[in-house]
Amino acid sequence: MDILVLGAGQLARMMSLAGAPLDLNVTAYDVGSGHIIHPLTQQKYSLALAEAIAGCDAITAEFEHIPDDVLTLCDASGKFYPGRQAIKAGGDRSIEKALLQKNGVPCAPWQLITERAHLDTAIESLGKPLVIKTCQAGYDGKGQWRIKDGSDIEQIWSEMQAFLHKGSTDHPHSIIAEQMIPFQREVSVIGARGKDGKVAIYPVTENEHSKGVLTLSIAVPVVESIQQQAVDAFTRLSTELEYVGVLAIEFFEVDGQLMVNEIAPRVHNSGHWTQQGTLCSQFENHMRAVAGLPLGSTEMLGVSAMINVLGQSSIPVDVLSVSGVTSHWYGKTQRPGRKMGHINVVADDRHSLGRKLIELSGYLSDEHYPGVLAMGNVLVNSK
Ligand code: ATP
Ligand code: MG
């Protein structure tokens, strides 16, 4: 079976690696260059997008910022999963917020901003501090501003205005202001929904960020009430969207309650640990779902951690000397802060996972891999 992925980055690459043993062949559409390529070798095929759409058995996406005409073309083929509507909801924060509200899923209080007066009302009604986010085009914390005391408001507004002006009549730009949530933790849930409506949901993952970018994910069992709230949000949203494939939901945890930060209609960085940490990874389950195959088990194989490799030229080979550690390199051109690869760690229990992180911190400096040692100590000292 041939599967076309919109987007040709590391997520398409890992879908390809997961699909091969199932006899699912992945080709990728590089949205930037317009070429159809092989997601592992980057080899170009002399195939136009329309031909690739016509020739494949299923279409999916690895990111949400895809031109609308491409989404429409794919939807018209009748084999695009999770489909245009779901991709739009993940790619525009105002559509996403409306979806959450319609389905009674709690999220951070927010307000739409398209002109200066809205910013003042947002400050008045939501209060400071505020997180301002572009509705379109943001990722890895880009396209965001923080308003703390209000002293830099004019500078922030001029940058916001520049973004708003870049929109067109056909594709207007908008911005939202969100209340800054004083969360205790950030967590996420990843789940797959098949064509028959059956779901396979992974255990909730705890996520650590630095400068708005994910650095570490920790998958150790959470209390039942947290898992339940995450499953409830997943069920509501995936049912509403008649979703097929993997859907990720990021949350803030405040006093035992989950509040959605954002959704991602695709495989997600905070689910990379499932490659070694579960019986069937998020990539395999996504491939299975879009191909119409039965979903695989999300049962955990021990406990796991995932460490992002950001802006580095390689992954230190010494990490492989620690048992239960695997390295995943994406083969991308190095750029400061860019997601270049990740390291997965599997252990029997949280103490053993903590010891492995402490051992790894000997090879992974705190400057480039923030939080590895600190998380190791937290896990070793946990009850
Ligand atoms: P990514 O693509 O990495 O998920 P993103 O660019 O889509 O990032 P968000 O997930 O919305 O952006 O925000 C990045 C991070 O900024 C969050 O993980 C969180 O740490 C912080 N953040 C965002 N919104 C809020 C908020 N309302 N209150 C507090 N912190 C926030
Ligand atoms: Mg996010």
Side-chain angles (χ1 to χ4, degrees), residues 64 93 108-109 131 133 138-144 146 178-183 186 209 211-214 250 252 261-262 266 268 339:
E64 15 327 347
R93 293 186 194 273
V131 182
K133 302 177 178 180
Y139 70 101
D140 289 350
K142 294 181 174 64
Q144 293 196 10
R146 304 276 194 273
E178 262 182 25
Q179 219 169 59
M180 174 101 70
I181 304 300
F183 56 79
E186 288 189 82
H209 295 80
K211 298 182 194 132
V213 184
L214 182 71
E250 299 176 23
F252 301 126
N261 170 25
E262 60 172 356
R266 54 173 167 81
H268 193 256
K339 288 177 180 169

PDB file of all heavy atoms in Angstrom, residues 64 93 108-109 131 133 138-144 146 178-183 186 209 211-214 250 252 261-262 266 268 339, ligand 1:
ATOM      1  N   GLU A  64       0.684  20.999  10.337  1.00  0.00           N
ATOM      2  CA  GLU A  64      -0.614  21.620  10.077  1.00  0.00           C
ATOM      3  C   GLU A  64      -0.555  22.841   9.174  1.00  0.00           C
ATOM      4  O   GLU A  64      -1.584  23.311   8.728  1.00  0.00           O
ATOM      5  CB  GLU A  64      -1.380  21.969  11.318  1.00  0.00           C
ATOM      6  CG  GLU A  64      -0.972  22.071  12.711  1.00  0.00           C
ATOM      7  CD  GLU A  64       0.083  21.241  13.361  1.00  0.00           C
ATOM      8  OE1 GLU A  64       0.550  20.223  12.813  1.00  0.00           O
ATOM      9  OE2 GLU A  64       0.477  21.610  14.464  1.00  0.00           O
ATOM     10  N   ARG A  93      -5.305  28.786  15.627  1.00  0.00           N
ATOM     11  CA  ARG A  93      -5.673  28.740  17.050  1.00  0.00           C
ATOM     12  C   ARG A  93      -7.104  29.197  17.327  1.00  0.00           C
ATOM     13  O   ARG A  93      -7.703  28.760  18.303  1.00  0.00           O
ATOM     14  CB  ARG A  93      -4.688  29.567  17.878  1.00  0.00           C
ATOM     15  CG  ARG A  93      -3.281  28.971  17.904  1.00  0.00           C
ATOM     16  CD  ARG A  93      -2.393  29.745  18.861  1.00  0.00           C
ATOM     17  NE  ARG A  93      -0.985  29.419  18.678  1.00  0.00           N
ATOM     18  CZ  ARG A  93      -0.356  28.412  19.273  1.00  0.00           C
ATOM     19  NH1 ARG A  93      -1.011  27.615  20.083  1.00  0.00           N
ATOM     20  NH2 ARG A  93       0.927  28.199  19.069  1.00  0.00           N
ATOM     21  N   ALA A 108      -7.361  27.492  28.208  1.00  0.00           N
ATOM     22  CA  ALA A 108      -7.006  28.782  28.808  1.00  0.00           C
ATOM     23  C   ALA A 108      -7.940  29.872  28.268  1.00  0.00           C
ATOM     24  O   ALA A 108      -8.180  29.939  27.061  1.00  0.00           O
ATOM     25  CB  ALA A 108      -5.560  29.116  28.462  1.00  0.00           C
ATOM     26  N   PRO A 109      -8.477  30.756  29.141  1.00  0.00           N
ATOM     27  CA  PRO A 109      -9.308  31.865  28.676  1.00  0.00           C
ATOM     28  C   PRO A 109      -8.551  32.700  27.640  1.00  0.00           C
ATOM     29  O   PRO A 109      -7.353  32.933  27.783  1.00  0.00           O
ATOM     30  CB  PRO A 109      -9.554  32.687  29.948  1.00  0.00           C
ATOM     31  CG  PRO A 109      -9.370  31.708  31.061  1.00  0.00           C
ATOM     32  CD  PRO A 109      -8.323  30.748  30.598  1.00  0.00           C
ATOM     33  N   VAL A 131      -0.173  35.680  27.425  1.00  0.00           N
ATOM     34  CA  VAL A 131       0.625  35.072  26.352  1.00  0.00           C
ATOM     35  C   VAL A 131      -0.097  35.413  25.054  1.00  0.00           C
ATOM     36  O   VAL A 131      -1.297  35.169  24.927  1.00  0.00           O
ATOM     37  CB  VAL A 131       0.716  33.545  26.497  1.00  0.00           C
ATOM     38  CG1 VAL A 131       1.600  32.955  25.403  1.00  0.00           C
ATOM     39  CG2 VAL A 131       1.247  33.167  27.868  1.00  0.00           C
ATOM     40  N   LYS A 133      -0.350  34.868  21.005  1.00  0.00           N
ATOM     41  CA  LYS A 133       0.086  33.871  20.018  1.00  0.00           C
ATOM     42  C   LYS A 133      -0.527  34.164  18.657  1.00  0.00           C
ATOM     43  O   LYS A 133      -1.721  34.452  18.566  1.00  0.00           O
ATOM     44  CB  LYS A 133      -0.377  32.471  20.428  1.00  0.00           C
ATOM     45  CG  LYS A 133       0.100  32.013  21.789  1.00  0.00           C
ATOM     46  CD  LYS A 133      -0.496  30.644  22.118  1.00  0.00           C
ATOM     47  CE  LYS A 133       0.010  30.145  23.461  1.00  0.00           C
ATOM     48  NZ  LYS A 133      -0.536  28.826  23.801  1.00  0.00           N
ATOM     49  N   GLY A 138       2.456  29.398  13.910  1.00  0.00           N
ATOM     50  CA  GLY A 138       3.355  29.246  15.050  1.00  0.00           C
ATOM     51  C   GLY A 138       3.784  27.800  15.269  1.00  0.00           C
ATOM     52  O   GLY A 138       3.027  26.887  15.000  1.00  0.00           O
ATOM     53  N   TYR A 139       4.990  27.603  15.715  1.00  0.00           N
ATOM     54  CA  TYR A 139       5.443  26.274  16.158  1.00  0.00           C
ATOM     55  C   TYR A 139       6.662  26.453  17.038  1.00  0.00           C
ATOM     56  O   TYR A 139       7.336  27.484  16.971  1.00  0.00           O
ATOM     57  CB  TYR A 139       5.770  25.343  14.970  1.00  0.00           C
ATOM     58  CG  TYR A 139       7.009  25.751  14.213  1.00  0.00           C
ATOM     59  CD1 TYR A 139       8.223  25.099  14.419  1.00  0.00           C
ATOM     60  CD2 TYR A 139       6.972  26.812  13.317  1.00  0.00           C
ATOM     61  CE1 TYR A 139       9.367  25.494  13.750  1.00  0.00           C
ATOM     62  CE2 TYR A 139       8.110  27.211  12.650  1.00  0.00           C
ATOM     63  CZ  TYR A 139       9.306  26.543  12.866  1.00  0.00           C
ATOM     64  OH  TYR A 139      10.432  26.949  12.208  1.00  0.00           O
ATOM     65  N   ASP A 140       6.927  25.454  17.892  1.00  0.00           N
ATOM     66  CA  ASP A 140       8.085  25.495  18.793  1.00  0.00           C
ATOM     67  C   ASP A 140       8.209  26.846  19.509  1.00  0.00           C
ATOM     68  O   ASP A 140       9.303  27.388  19.657  1.00  0.00           O
ATOM     69  CB  ASP A 140       9.392  25.207  18.030  1.00  0.00           C
ATOM     70  CG  ASP A 140       9.476  23.747  17.608  1.00  0.00           C
ATOM     71  OD1 ASP A 140       8.641  22.953  18.073  1.00  0.00           O
ATOM     72  OD2 ASP A 140      10.378  23.408  16.826  1.00  0.00           O
ATOM     73  N   GLY A 141       7.085  27.387  19.939  1.00  0.00           N
ATOM     74  CA  GLY A 141       7.108  28.634  20.695  1.00  0.00           C
ATOM     75  C   GLY A 141       7.343  29.867  19.842  1.00  0.00           C
ATOM     76  O   GLY A 141       7.433  30.988  20.361  1.00  0.00           O
ATOM     77  N   LYS A 142       7.447  29.700  18.500  1.00  0.00           N
ATOM     78  CA  LYS A 142       7.643  30.874  17.632  1.00  0.00           C
ATOM     79  C   LYS A 142       6.293  31.563  17.425  1.00  0.00           C
ATOM     80  O   LYS A 142       5.244  30.939  17.525  1.00  0.00           O
ATOM     81  CB  LYS A 142       8.233  30.439  16.289  1.00  0.00           C
ATOM     82  CG  LYS A 142       9.638  29.880  16.425  1.00  0.00           C
ATOM     83  CD  LYS A 142      10.207  29.478  15.077  1.00  0.00           C
ATOM     84  CE  LYS A 142      11.661  29.064  15.172  1.00  0.00           C
ATOM     85  NZ  LYS A 142      11.880  27.859  15.983  1.00  0.00           N
ATOM     86  N   GLY A 143       6.332  32.856  17.109  1.00  0.00           N
ATOM     87  CA  GLY A 143       5.084  33.595  16.916  1.00  0.00           C
ATOM     88  C   GLY A 143       4.370  33.827  18.239  1.00  0.00           C
ATOM     89  O   GLY A 143       3.153  33.746  18.318  1.00  0.00           O
ATOM     90  N   GLN A 144       5.147  34.080  19.287  1.00  0.00           N
ATOM     91  CA  GLN A 144       4.536  34.333  20.608  1.00  0.00           C
ATOM     92  C   GLN A 144       5.198  35.531  21.286  1.00  0.00           C
ATOM     93  O   GLN A 144       6.377  35.790  21.073  1.00  0.00           O
ATOM     94  CB  GLN A 144       4.718  33.110  21.519  1.00  0.00           C
ATOM     95  CG  GLN A 144       3.945  31.902  21.058  1.00  0.00           C
ATOM     96  CD  GLN A 144       3.826  30.842  22.147  1.00  0.00           C
ATOM     97  OE1 GLN A 144       4.163  31.072  23.299  1.00  0.00           O
ATOM     98  NE2 GLN A 144       3.342  29.677  21.759  1.00  0.00           N
ATOM     99  N   ARG A 146       5.067  37.647  25.289  1.00  0.00           N
ATOM    100  CA  ARG A 146       4.574  37.657  26.669  1.00  0.00           C
ATOM    101  C   ARG A 146       4.393  39.105  27.115  1.00  0.00           C
ATOM    102  O   ARG A 146       5.312  39.911  26.943  1.00  0.00           O
ATOM    103  CB  ARG A 146       5.593  37.000  27.617  1.00  0.00           C
ATOM    104  CG  ARG A 146       5.998  35.573  27.246  1.00  0.00           C
ATOM    105  CD  ARG A 146       4.991  34.588  27.791  1.00  0.00           C
ATOM    106  NE  ARG A 146       5.441  33.206  27.761  1.00  0.00           N
ATOM    107  CZ  ARG A 146       5.309  32.350  26.745  1.00  0.00           C
ATOM    108  NH1 ARG A 146       4.793  32.753  25.603  1.00  0.00           N
ATOM    109  NH2 ARG A 146       5.690  31.095  26.844  1.00  0.00           N
ATOM    110  N   GLU A 178      -3.957  34.978  25.439  1.00  0.00           N
ATOM    111  CA  GLU A 178      -4.372  33.940  26.393  1.00  0.00           C
ATOM    112  C   GLU A 178      -3.921  34.340  27.778  1.00  0.00           C
ATOM    113  O   GLU A 178      -2.828  34.906  27.937  1.00  0.00           O
ATOM    114  CB  GLU A 178      -3.635  32.637  26.075  1.00  0.00           C
ATOM    115  CG  GLU A 178      -4.396  31.658  25.259  1.00  0.00           C
ATOM    116  CD  GLU A 178      -3.582  30.390  25.046  1.00  0.00           C
ATOM    117  OE1 GLU A 178      -2.682  30.057  25.858  1.00  0.00           O
ATOM    118  OE2 GLU A 178      -3.837  29.734  24.049  1.00  0.00           O
ATOM    119  N   GLN A 179      -4.739  34.001  28.742  1.00  0.00           N
ATOM    120  CA  GLN A 179      -4.290  34.190  30.114  1.00  0.00           C
ATOM    121  C   GLN A 179      -3.055  33.319  30.342  1.00  0.00           C
ATOM    122  O   GLN A 179      -3.025  32.185  29.870  1.00  0.00           O
ATOM    123  CB  GLN A 179      -5.395  33.701  31.040  1.00  0.00           C
ATOM    124  CG  GLN A 179      -5.596  34.541  32.266  1.00  0.00           C
ATOM    125  CD  GLN A 179      -6.880  34.118  32.966  1.00  0.00           C
ATOM    126  OE1 GLN A 179      -7.009  32.957  33.355  1.00  0.00           O
ATOM    127  NE2 GLN A 179      -7.809  35.035  33.084  1.00  0.00           N
ATOM    128  N   MET A 180      -2.048  33.848  31.013  1.00  0.00           N
ATOM    129  CA  MET A 180      -0.877  33.035  31.371  1.00  0.00           C
ATOM    130  C   MET A 180      -1.299  32.095  32.499  1.00  0.00           C
ATOM    131  O   MET A 180      -1.724  32.554  33.558  1.00  0.00           O
ATOM    132  CB  MET A 180       0.262  33.943  31.833  1.00  0.00           C
ATOM    133  CG  MET A 180       1.454  33.211  32.347  1.00  0.00           C
ATOM    134  SD  MET A 180       2.807  33.092  31.185  1.00  0.00           S
ATOM    135  CE  MET A 180       3.419  34.741  31.080  1.00  0.00           C
ATOM    136  N   ILE A 181      -1.225  30.808  32.264  1.00  0.00           N
ATOM    137  CA  ILE A 181      -1.714  29.830  33.235  1.00  0.00           C
ATOM    138  C   ILE A 181      -0.594  29.432  34.198  1.00  0.00           C
ATOM    139  O   ILE A 181       0.474  28.984  33.759  1.00  0.00           O
ATOM    140  CB  ILE A 181      -2.259  28.570  32.501  1.00  0.00           C
ATOM    141  CG1 ILE A 181      -3.352  28.970  31.487  1.00  0.00           C
ATOM    142  CG2 ILE A 181      -2.780  27.538  33.492  1.00  0.00           C
ATOM    143  CD1 ILE A 181      -4.561  29.664  32.071  1.00  0.00           C
ATOM    144  N   PRO A 182      -0.822  29.570  35.499  1.00  0.00           N
ATOM    145  CA  PRO A 182       0.226  29.209  36.469  1.00  0.00           C
ATOM    146  C   PRO A 182       0.205  27.694  36.727  1.00  0.00           C
ATOM    147  O   PRO A 182      -0.147  27.239  37.811  1.00  0.00           O
ATOM    148  CB  PRO A 182      -0.184  29.998  37.726  1.00  0.00           C
ATOM    149  CG  PRO A 182      -1.673  30.134  37.612  1.00  0.00           C
ATOM    150  CD  PRO A 182      -2.032  30.077  36.154  1.00  0.00           C
ATOM    151  N   PHE A 183       0.576  26.947  35.699  1.00  0.00           N
ATOM    152  CA  PHE A 183       0.467  25.487  35.793  1.00  0.00           C
ATOM    153  C   PHE A 183       1.563  24.874  36.659  1.00  0.00           C
ATOM    154  O   PHE A 183       2.632  25.452  36.807  1.00  0.00           O
ATOM    155  CB  PHE A 183       0.489  24.859  34.400  1.00  0.00           C
ATOM    156  CG  PHE A 183       1.711  25.223  33.585  1.00  0.00           C
ATOM    157  CD1 PHE A 183       2.929  24.599  33.784  1.00  0.00           C
ATOM    158  CD2 PHE A 183       1.639  26.214  32.606  1.00  0.00           C
ATOM    159  CE1 PHE A 183       4.046  24.930  33.031  1.00  0.00           C
ATOM    160  CE2 PHE A 183       2.750  26.558  31.847  1.00  0.00           C
ATOM    161  CZ  PHE A 183       3.956  25.913  32.064  1.00  0.00           C
ATOM    162  N   GLU A 186       3.175  20.485  32.619  1.00  0.00           N
ATOM    163  CA  GLU A 186       2.584  20.348  31.291  1.00  0.00           C
ATOM    164  C   GLU A 186       2.576  18.866  30.946  1.00  0.00           C
ATOM    165  O   GLU A 186       3.583  18.174  31.150  1.00  0.00           O
ATOM    166  CB  GLU A 186       3.396  21.112  30.253  1.00  0.00           C
ATOM    167  CG  GLU A 186       3.244  22.611  30.394  1.00  0.00           C
ATOM    168  CD  GLU A 186       3.863  23.356  29.234  1.00  0.00           C
ATOM    169  OE1 GLU A 186       3.237  23.483  28.177  1.00  0.00           O
ATOM    170  OE2 GLU A 186       5.006  23.821  29.401  1.00  0.00           O
ATOM    171  N   HIS A 209       9.716  22.067  28.997  1.00  0.00           N
ATOM    172  CA  HIS A 209      10.098  22.971  27.906  1.00  0.00           C
ATOM    173  C   HIS A 209      11.201  23.910  28.361  1.00  0.00           C
ATOM    174  O   HIS A 209      11.323  24.225  29.543  1.00  0.00           O
ATOM    175  CB  HIS A 209       8.904  23.832  27.472  1.00  0.00           C
ATOM    176  CG  HIS A 209       7.786  23.040  26.873  1.00  0.00           C
ATOM    177  ND1 HIS A 209       6.868  22.346  27.638  1.00  0.00           N
ATOM    178  CD2 HIS A 209       7.437  22.823  25.588  1.00  0.00           C
ATOM    179  CE1 HIS A 209       6.008  21.742  26.836  1.00  0.00           C
ATOM    180  NE2 HIS A 209       6.326  22.008  25.591  1.00  0.00           N
ATOM    181  N   LYS A 211      12.627  27.677  26.856  1.00  0.00           N
ATOM    182  CA  LYS A 211      12.417  28.739  25.849  1.00  0.00           C
ATOM    183  C   LYS A 211      11.302  28.371  24.869  1.00  0.00           C
ATOM    184  O   LYS A 211      11.441  28.546  23.654  1.00  0.00           O
ATOM    185  CB  LYS A 211      13.716  29.021  25.099  1.00  0.00           C
ATOM    186  CG  LYS A 211      14.820  29.532  26.007  1.00  0.00           C
ATOM    187  CD  LYS A 211      16.074  29.839  25.221  1.00  0.00           C
ATOM    188  CE  LYS A 211      17.270  30.013  26.137  1.00  0.00           C
ATOM    189  NZ  LYS A 211      18.455  29.281  25.722  1.00  0.00           N
ATOM    190  N   GLY A 212      10.213  27.789  25.378  1.00  0.00           N
ATOM    191  CA  GLY A 212       9.060  27.477  24.530  1.00  0.00           C
ATOM    192  C   GLY A 212       9.217  26.219  23.684  1.00  0.00           C
ATOM    193  O   GLY A 212       8.337  25.878  22.912  1.00  0.00           O
ATOM    194  N   VAL A 213      10.351  25.512  23.821  1.00  0.00           N
ATOM    195  CA  VAL A 213      10.576  24.309  23.008  1.00  0.00           C
ATOM    196  C   VAL A 213      10.642  23.086  23.915  1.00  0.00           C
ATOM    197  O   VAL A 213      11.248  23.128  24.996  1.00  0.00           O
ATOM    198  CB  VAL A 213      11.895  24.417  22.206  1.00  0.00           C
ATOM    199  CG1 VAL A 213      12.075  23.206  21.298  1.00  0.00           C
ATOM    200  CG2 VAL A 213      11.919  25.689  21.395  1.00  0.00           C
ATOM    201  N   LEU A 214      10.030  21.981  23.470  1.00  0.00           N
ATOM    202  CA  LEU A 214      10.061  20.747  24.242  1.00  0.00           C
ATOM    203  C   LEU A 214      11.491  20.230  24.364  1.00  0.00           C
ATOM    204  O   LEU A 214      12.201  20.114  23.368  1.00  0.00           O
ATOM    205  CB  LEU A 214       9.191  19.691  23.534  1.00  0.00           C
ATOM    206  CG  LEU A 214       9.071  18.347  24.236  1.00  0.00           C
ATOM    207  CD1 LEU A 214       8.218  18.452  25.503  1.00  0.00           C
ATOM    208  CD2 LEU A 214       8.471  17.291  23.300  1.00  0.00           C
ATOM    209  N   GLU A 250      -2.069  18.737  24.040  1.00  0.00           N
ATOM    210  CA  GLU A 250      -1.192  19.256  25.090  1.00  0.00           C
ATOM    211  C   GLU A 250      -2.039  19.960  26.142  1.00  0.00           C
ATOM    212  O   GLU A 250      -2.959  20.701  25.808  1.00  0.00           O
ATOM    213  CB  GLU A 250      -0.208  20.276  24.516  1.00  0.00           C
ATOM    214  CG  GLU A 250       0.725  19.730  23.464  1.00  0.00           C
ATOM    215  CD  GLU A 250       1.604  20.836  22.870  1.00  0.00           C
ATOM    216  OE1 GLU A 250       1.809  21.881  23.515  1.00  0.00           O
ATOM    217  OE2 GLU A 250       2.062  20.648  21.744  1.00  0.00           O
ATOM    218  N   PHE A 252      -2.184  21.963  30.235  1.00  0.00           N
ATOM    219  CA  PHE A 252      -1.598  22.493  31.472  1.00  0.00           C
ATOM    220  C   PHE A 252      -2.287  21.771  32.611  1.00  0.00           C
ATOM    221  O   PHE A 252      -3.509  21.591  32.576  1.00  0.00           O
ATOM    222  CB  PHE A 252      -1.884  23.999  31.608  1.00  0.00           C
ATOM    223  CG  PHE A 252      -1.349  24.822  30.470  1.00  0.00           C
ATOM    224  CD1 PHE A 252      -2.195  25.682  29.766  1.00  0.00           C
ATOM    225  CD2 PHE A 252      -0.020  24.752  30.101  1.00  0.00           C
ATOM    226  CE1 PHE A 252      -1.718  26.447  28.713  1.00  0.00           C
ATOM    227  CE2 PHE A 252       0.466  25.517  29.038  1.00  0.00           C
ATOM    228  CZ  PHE A 252      -0.386  26.364  28.353  1.00  0.00           C
ATOM    229  N   ASN A 261      -3.863  23.203  26.217  1.00  0.00           N
ATOM    230  CA  ASN A 261      -3.060  24.271  25.630  1.00  0.00           C
ATOM    231  C   ASN A 261      -3.300  24.291  24.129  1.00  0.00           C
ATOM    232  O   ASN A 261      -3.755  25.273  23.573  1.00  0.00           O
ATOM    233  CB  ASN A 261      -1.578  24.061  25.960  1.00  0.00           C
ATOM    234  CG  ASN A 261      -0.675  25.012  25.175  1.00  0.00           C
ATOM    235  OD1 ASN A 261      -1.115  26.096  24.764  1.00  0.00           O
ATOM    236  ND2 ASN A 261       0.555  24.609  24.921  1.00  0.00           N
ATOM    237  N   GLU A 262      -3.026  23.156  23.474  1.00  0.00           N
ATOM    238  CA  GLU A 262      -3.284  23.103  22.036  1.00  0.00           C
ATOM    239  C   GLU A 262      -3.388  21.664  21.589  1.00  0.00           C
ATOM    240  O   GLU A 262      -3.010  20.748  22.324  1.00  0.00           O
ATOM    241  CB  GLU A 262      -2.208  23.849  21.250  1.00  0.00           C
ATOM    242  CG  GLU A 262      -0.827  23.289  21.450  1.00  0.00           C
ATOM    243  CD  GLU A 262       0.201  23.907  20.510  1.00  0.00           C
ATOM    244  OE1 GLU A 262      -0.174  24.705  19.658  1.00  0.00           O
ATOM    245  OE2 GLU A 262       1.378  23.547  20.638  1.00  0.00           O
ATOM    246  N   ARG A 266      -1.750  15.107  14.421  1.00  0.00           N
ATOM    247  CA  ARG A 266      -0.622  14.353  13.836  1.00  0.00           C
ATOM    248  C   ARG A 266       0.149  13.650  14.948  1.00  0.00           C
ATOM    249  O   ARG A 266      -0.123  13.860  16.121  1.00  0.00           O
ATOM    250  CB  ARG A 266       0.324  15.322  13.120  1.00  0.00           C
ATOM    251  CG  ARG A 266       0.763  16.444  14.038  1.00  0.00           C
ATOM    252  CD  ARG A 266       1.827  17.315  13.413  1.00  0.00           C
ATOM    253  NE  ARG A 266       2.030  18.547  14.141  1.00  0.00           N
ATOM    254  CZ  ARG A 266       2.768  18.680  15.232  1.00  0.00           C
ATOM    255  NH1 ARG A 266       3.398  17.625  15.747  1.00  0.00           N
ATOM    256  NH2 ARG A 266       2.876  19.841  15.839  1.00  0.00           N
ATOM    257  N   HIS A 268       3.289  13.291  17.346  1.00  0.00           N
ATOM    258  CA  HIS A 268       3.763  14.450  18.105  1.00  0.00           C
ATOM    259  C   HIS A 268       5.077  14.150  18.828  1.00  0.00           C
ATOM    260  O   HIS A 268       5.314  13.021  19.262  1.00  0.00           O
ATOM    261  CB  HIS A 268       2.681  14.811  19.147  1.00  0.00           C
ATOM    262  CG  HIS A 268       2.856  16.141  19.783  1.00  0.00           C
ATOM    263  ND1 HIS A 268       3.339  16.279  21.072  1.00  0.00           N
ATOM    264  CD2 HIS A 268       2.609  17.391  19.322  1.00  0.00           C
ATOM    265  CE1 HIS A 268       3.368  17.563  21.378  1.00  0.00           C
ATOM    266  NE2 HIS A 268       2.932  18.261  20.330  1.00  0.00           N
ATOM    267  N   LYS A 339      15.232  21.029  15.909  1.00  0.00           N
ATOM    268  CA  LYS A 339      15.092  19.642  16.353  1.00  0.00           C
ATOM    269  C   LYS A 339      15.876  18.737  15.400  1.00  0.00           C
ATOM    270  O   LYS A 339      15.491  18.569  14.241  1.00  0.00           O
ATOM    271  CB  LYS A 339      13.616  19.227  16.395  1.00  0.00           C
ATOM    272  CG  LYS A 339      12.859  19.875  17.545  1.00  0.00           C
ATOM    273  CD  LYS A 339      11.382  19.515  17.546  1.00  0.00           C
ATOM    274  CE  LYS A 339      10.688  20.212  18.722  1.00  0.00           C
ATOM    275  NZ  LYS A 339       9.219  20.128  18.649  1.00  0.00           N
TER     276      LYS A 339
HETATM  277  P1  ATP B   1       4.960  23.526  19.978  1.00  0.00           P
HETATM  278  O1  ATP B   1       4.900  23.513  18.496  1.00  0.00           O
HETATM  279  O2  ATP B   1       6.320  23.216  20.530  1.00  0.00           O
HETATM  280  O3  ATP B   1       3.898  22.749  20.663  1.00  0.00           O
HETATM  281  P2  ATP B   1       3.804  26.127  19.910  1.00  0.00           P
HETATM  282  O4  ATP B   1       4.594  27.124  19.183  1.00  0.00           O
HETATM  283  O5  ATP B   1       2.654  25.508  19.234  1.00  0.00           O
HETATM  284  O6  ATP B   1       4.766  25.035  20.447  1.00  0.00           O
HETATM  285  P3  ATP B   1       2.482  26.456  22.487  1.00  0.00           P
HETATM  286  O7  ATP B   1       2.477  25.013  22.763  1.00  0.00           O
HETATM  287  O8  ATP B   1       1.178  27.128  22.418  1.00  0.00           O
HETATM  288  O9  ATP B   1       3.304  26.855  21.188  1.00  0.00           O
HETATM  289  O10 ATP B   1       3.374  27.214  23.561  1.00  0.00           O
HETATM  290  C1  ATP B   1       4.723  26.823  23.819  1.00  0.00           C
HETATM  291  C2  ATP B   1       4.948  26.780  25.321  1.00  0.00           C
HETATM  292  O11 ATP B   1       4.738  28.095  25.896  1.00  0.00           O
HETATM  293  C3  ATP B   1       3.974  25.881  26.068  1.00  0.00           C
HETATM  294  O12 ATP B   1       4.379  24.535  26.029  1.00  0.00           O
HETATM  295  C4  ATP B   1       4.049  26.507  27.484  1.00  0.00           C
HETATM  296  O13 ATP B   1       5.229  26.124  28.138  1.00  0.00           O
HETATM  297  C5  ATP B   1       4.129  27.993  27.181  1.00  0.00           C
HETATM  298  N1  ATP B   1       2.767  28.557  27.147  1.00  0.00           N
HETATM  299  C6  ATP B   1       1.969  28.671  26.075  1.00  0.00           C
HETATM  300  N2  ATP B   1       0.764  29.195  26.380  1.00  0.00           N
HETATM  301  C7  ATP B   1       0.767  29.432  27.702  1.00  0.00           C
HETATM  302  C8  ATP B   1      -0.191  29.953  28.642  1.00  0.00           C
HETATM  303  N3  ATP B   1      -1.401  30.374  28.272  1.00  0.00           N
HETATM  304  N4  ATP B   1       0.192  30.014  29.949  1.00  0.00           N
HETATM  305  C9  ATP B   1       1.419  29.620  30.348  1.00  0.00           C
HETATM  306  N5  ATP B   1       2.357  29.118  29.510  1.00  0.00           N
HETATM  307  C10 ATP B   1       2.065  29.020  28.212  1.00  0.00           C
END
